[in-house]
Amino acid sequence: MSDLDVFVSDRHVGSLREDIATGLIDFEYLPDISDDLAASLLMPPSAPADEYREYNGLPPPFEVSLPEGVVLEAIQSRFGKHIDVSSDFALLRLVGRHTVGRVTFGGPLERDAGLDQQILAAARTDGAAARLSAILRNSPQMFGISGVMPKMSVYSRDRLRPGTVVSHGAIVKFDSPNYTGASLVEYACLKACAAVGLDVPAVELAPDLTSIVIDRFDIATNGRRLGFEDACALSGIRRAGKYTGSIEHLFQMIGNFVHPDDQDADRRALLKLSIMNDVLRNGDAHLKNFGLVYDDVMRPRLAPVFDVLTTPVWIHGDTPALAILKNDRESGRWMDTQGLQHLASVDGLPDVDLKQMQEDCADATLQSLAETLASCPPCPQRKALERAIEIIESAAPRQGSGQSVGNGQAWAPSM
């Protein structure tokens, strides 16, 4: 057997055990762990112990900490001779003390303050992408954060005056050779989401436009780390299936886990975000790019907006990551009138006119993007944003171009 201790808010709550012969994994809580220290909303300590045995792989809620993309490639390059990087258990052991959220593996959260400051300094200078790429290659094991685009997490504590310490964190993202301008375009997309009233963390763009620093929403100002779980795990889908879910799964996540008093607000936010992902032509809005955040396990809320990008700038003809309906496997369509009708059938908000929302979001988005573009000097990154605006503008719905669409209204295709 191979063991790995599990911690919640730096408290040891249980252990993972992998049977080397079968590859099956068990999770077991320590005695007398209260439900407020649950390792996942799906895994309350009060449930019978045998419910968390013989997983074929890691329990899905723990997969949120597994590295992907450029980080995983860097780990393979640096540690491939020493550990089996094809083993999720081995990867979790390597990165598990450097995760996002309140759950860590192998010990309490372990941060390198010097490295954190080095990352933030690099992200705020010219040549940010090259500097950050070098840091990532040297220390890939320090970042238990999923995502295909290169990104790193930092956690810092700033003493403002004697006796006052403010804790915060950030996610630092940067361009890769195949995605020149991605940081600028994501910055612009996040600003557009904020312009339509969505909850967006503070975001800072590097002077040379090749990196962004986004405030972490899983850390309270008093330093308390909040729980975060993505919609892939909360929908009972393993991370490899992040594109097989649907927007319907996301609304069901809210129905299953969010307190009834908070559901209306979260449904409205998710509805607008779904519309914005369509307006922005974000083809990477898969299940792992949505989630719930919580301090109290009884009151999880929809997480703020993160990972929004106009993907056809780099992937010609890219299509939506998720179908709208669970039983619709043809997800490769941006929202036409029928798509809006499908969305109205799952959002649980009969008073919303989706066609009007789509038009209003498109207008506000184009205005916001134009403002961001106006502040950019001529450079390759600017060209990526110009291309994003062309894509979004060509797809934008026009005012008065069709009937209103809502749960309480009849629908017919416009002629």
Side-chain angles (χ1 to χ4, degrees):
M1 299 289 287
S2 180
D3 291 4
L4 183 60
D5 290 335
V6 178
F7 289 70
V8 173
S9 298
D10 296 341
R11 178 174 171 181
H12 186 201
V13 300
S15 296
L16 285 166
R17 294 186 178 90
E18 181 182 38
D19 187 319
I20 303 301
T22 66
L24 297 177
I25 296 175
D26 296 340
F27 173 69
E28 183 177 359
Y29 281 106
L30 295 173
D32 301 322
I33 298 297
S34 59
D35 279 354
D36 64 307
L37 286 172
S40 167
L41 297 172
L42 292 173
M43 304 170 71
S46 55
D50 59 4
E51 288 196 15
Y52 309 136
R53 292 177 180 165
E54 296 190 343
Y55 287 94
N56 186 18
L58 291 173
F62 297 162
E63 292 186 335
V64 68
S65 300
L66 292 176
E68 299 176 298
V70 173
V71 177
L72 180 56
E73 291 173 4
I75 287 174
Q76 289 171 330
S77 176
R78 182 77 181 273
F79 298 100
K81 293 181 179 179
H82 310 290
I83 68 170
D84 179 7
V85 293
S86 67
S87 164
D88 287 350
F89 199 91
L91 280 176
L92 192 61
R93 185 186 299 281
L94 180 67
V95 304
R97 297 186 69 172
H98 315 287
T99 60
V100 170
R102 66 179 194 166
V103 181
T104 58
F105 304 88
L109 181 73
E110 183 179 78
R111 295 302 312 173
D112 182 329
L115 178 62
D116 287 343
Q117 291 305 315
Q118 184 183 0
I119 292 168
L120 288 173
R124 291 166 173 157
T125 60
D126 286 334
R131 294 170 183 263
L132 291 167
S133 181
I135 295 171
L136 180 60
R137 288 195 304 271
N138 289 332
S139 305
Q141 76 280 9
M142 299 295 290
F143 310 107
I145 178 170
S146 65
V148 173
M149 295 298 291
K151 62 182 73 171
M152 297 181 287
S153 59
V154 297
Y155 178 86
S156 60
R157 296 170 65 85
D158 295 335
R159 187 172 296 278
L160 301 183
R161 60 182 184 273
T164 303
V165 176
V166 175
S167 299
H168 63 274
I171 301 296
V172 178
K173 302 184 181 182
F174 54 96
D175 289 4
S176 65
N178 294 328
Y179 285 84
T180 298
S183 297
L184 173 59
V185 173
E186 180 157 12
Y187 173 85
C189 288
L190 289 171
K191 287 295 187 182
C193 287
V196 302
L198 288 169
D199 185 9
V200 179
V203 56
E204 176 184 351
L205 184 63
D208 68 352
L209 315 183
T210 65
S211 171
I212 52 175
V213 178
I214 305 172
D215 277 5
R216 276 175 54 173
F217 53 77
D218 65 312
I219 301 177
T221 55
N222 63 2
R224 185 177 178 87
R225 301 199 309 280
L226 308 180
F228 171 72
E229 299 186 56
D230 65 43
C232 202
L234 293 176
S235 299
I237 298 173
R238 305 204 74 91
R239 63 176 180 143
K242 62 187 180 182
Y243 293 105
T244 66
S246 65
I247 294 176
E248 186 175 2
H249 278 101
L250 301 176
F251 281 102
Q252 287 185 340
M253 174 186 71
I254 290 175
N256 290 337
F257 295 103
V258 174
H259 190 279
D261 291 348
D262 302 322
Q263 285 197 20
D264 184 76
D266 279 6
R267 286 181 179 275
R268 291 178 188 277
L270 176 58
L271 177 62
K272 184 170 284 187
L273 178 53
S274 300
I275 293 290
M276 282 297 290
N277 279 322
D278 184 80
V279 167
L280 291 166
R281 290 305 191 249
N282 178 19
D284 202 40
H286 52 70
L287 289 180
K288 290 184 70 64
N289 283 338
F290 302 84
L292 299 181
V293 63
Y294 54 90
D295 190 7
D296 180 352
V297 294
M298 300 302 295
R299 297 300 289 260
R301 299 298 304 271
L302 183 69
V305 179
F306 61 99
D307 282 356
V308 183
L309 192 68
T310 305
T311 54
V313 172
W314 301 273
I315 306 172
H316 180 71
D318 199 18
T319 58
L322 299 176
I324 297 174
L325 305 178
K326 288 196 296 185
N327 60 0
D328 180 8
R329 298 274 54 90
E330 296 181 19
S331 60
R333 302 187 304 270
W334 298 106
M335 286 187 197
D336 54 11
T337 308
Q338 185 178 30
L340 292 176
Q341 180 69 7
H342 288 163
L343 186 58
S345 72
V346 300
D347 64 22
L349 298 167
D351 62 315
V352 178
D353 182 342
L354 295 188
K355 188 66 177 177
Q356 188 65 52
M357 178 182 285
Q358 186 185 50
E359 292 173 354
D360 291 345
C361 284
D363 288 346
T365 292
L366 288 170
Q367 180 177 342
S368 178
L369 294 175
E371 292 171 356
T372 301
L373 182 67
S375 66
C376 297
C379 60
Q381 290 75 29
R382 179 190 171 101
K383 291 184 180 299
L385 181 55
E386 290 173 344
R387 177 59 182 148
I389 292 173
E390 291 174 0
I391 291 167
I392 293 165
E393 190 168 30
S394 66
R398 305 304 173 193
Q399 290 286 349
S401 61
Q403 289 182 245
S404 60
V405 178
N407 284 353
Q409 300 164 324
W411 168 81
S414 57
M415 302 301 291

